[in-house]
Amino acid sequence: NHGATTPPPPLLEDVALLCRLLSKMISILCMAACAVPIRELEFAPVLGCPRSAGTCCPPCVVLTGGNDPGSTACAPCRIAQAWKELNGGKYAAGCADAMAIALGEGVYPPMPLKYITDYGGTWAGPTSPTNNAAGGPPISKSEFIVQTAVFNLNQRPYDGQATLGPWQTMTAQSAVTDPTYRAKEAIGYVQSCCGDNIVSPDIDVPLAAPCNTAADCPNTVNGQCPVNPNQPGNQFPISSIFESPLDPPLPWCGCMLYHSPTTGYSGRCAQSNENFYQQYMELAQAICDF
């Protein structure tokens, strides 16, 4: 039988075919993995996204380190999503205004333009998706939008008041896990203290510090309000921050430049910058458009 080829048994032939198929599948998977940037491969499993970090808004997480471990934190895109979806999209057109306030009030690490490279930032960014301490490298705008650590839903202010979360609004609820709750608190406060003092029925959360008087702030940028509900008289004037696109308007308000914090959001007078919140509008719009 010299020179003759003995055909392999049928079982061995099937095993050989299976091995070739598996080898081809592994090769395809390896090529696909190599096509994804390393940073995206690092972010996707941690953030819970099925695809790369740039194409998915991750779910909120529980902080494991940094400021306030154990609290729930969410990515900017998740905060914006909660705002846009609130009550069937009733407040969606005001998303950029809301996010500009949040970027100035409730981000940790604070001053995000200082560590976002698209704006020339060189400061340290968040340590990781579950650690909001400023221990990581500067990050890009696209990375910031999906960075889960930066918006602690229960973020405490430097002055010790019960103004918590992304919008640093007075609250009676010290710990929440749903960004929608904090959004409703902010809307209710603005309607009560900056607007006509009528809170919409769909804002179904208790307000910790509602105002007793309508400020009736005009729907114009830096338009002075007729009255400060918490400080009657002209000693502590407040004004509108934006021109609201909503109907009726949602007139975010706060202390005017070179005055003192009383009613509303105090970034302009605290930072001596009349455009303190406007400086975040481009980033805010990018978050809302994600």
Side-chain angles (χ1 to χ4, degrees):
N1 204 27
H2 296 288
T5 302
T6 305
L11 180 59
L12 291 179
E13 196 172 45
D14 291 343
V15 170
L17 177 61
L18 180 60
C19 287
R20 287 195 298 273
L21 289 173
L22 286 173
S23 177
K24 189 170 184 179
M25 288 175 64
I26 291 171
S27 176
I28 292 172
L29 287 172
C30 286
M31 285 189 292
C34 290
V36 180
I38 296 298
R39 192 167 183 84
E40 292 184 357
L41 287 174
E42 291 174 352
F43 268 70
V46 177
L47 295 174
C49 288
R51 292 172 289 170
S52 72
T55 57
C56 164
C57 187
C60 299
V61 299
V62 175
L63 292 172
T64 59
N67 179 280
D68 203 14
S71 183
T72 298
C74 307
C77 59
R78 185 64 60 183
I79 300 295
Q81 183 181 57
W83 183 278
K84 291 189 295 183
E85 293 177 353
L86 182 61
N87 299 329
K90 178 179 177 180
Y91 304 97
C95 177
D97 289 356
M99 291 309 301
I101 295 288
L103 290 166
E105 292 284 341
V107 166
Y108 203 89
M111 295 185 283
L113 301 185
K114 297 289 188 180
Y115 56 86
I116 296 177
T117 55
D118 300 63
Y119 303 101
T122 57
W123 289 11
T127 300
S128 78
T130 59
N131 185 330
N132 60 7
I139 58 178
S140 69
K141 178 168 67 175
S142 60
E143 290 170 331
F144 175 80
I145 290 172
V146 296
Q147 171 53 263
T148 50
V150 297
F151 273 119
N152 177 4
L153 296 184
N154 309 302
Q155 178 66 41
R156 288 164 174 75
Y158 70 91
D159 57 11
Q161 294 190 67
T163 52
L164 309 184
W167 292 280
Q168 294 288 278
T169 300
M170 193 69 72
T171 181
Q173 185 61 262
S174 61
V176 302
T177 58
D178 183 358
T180 300
Y181 191 98
R182 294 298 189 214
K184 288 183 177 182
E185 287 181 326
I187 292 169
Y189 177 80
V190 173
Q191 290 176 337
S192 175
C193 296
C194 300
D196 57 10
N197 199 232
I198 299 173
V199 178
S200 299
D202 53 20
I203 303 303
D204 53 356
V205 299
L207 300 182
C211 291
N212 296 319
T213 304
D216 285 324
C217 297
N219 192 30
T220 57
V221 177
N222 298 326
Q224 185 168 342
C225 310
V227 64
N228 182 338
N230 293 315
Q231 292 286 342
N234 297 320
Q235 188 176 0
F236 298 99
I238 60 174
S239 67
S240 303
I241 298 171
F242 310 110
E243 181 178 348
S244 173
L246 294 169
D247 184 17
L250 188 65
W252 299 87
C253 71
C255 54
M256 298 177 71
L257 193 64
Y258 307 128
H259 289 277
S260 300
T262 52
T263 302
Y265 299 86
S266 61
R268 293 178 299 176
C269 64
Q271 301 298 325
S272 299
N273 181 358
E274 193 168 54
N275 295 314
F276 177 72
Y277 297 109
Q278 274 81 1
Q279 70 180 325
Y280 293 112
M281 283 301 290
E282 194 276 337
L283 176 58
Q285 190 63 61
I287 294 168
C288 292
D289 290 343
F290 180 81

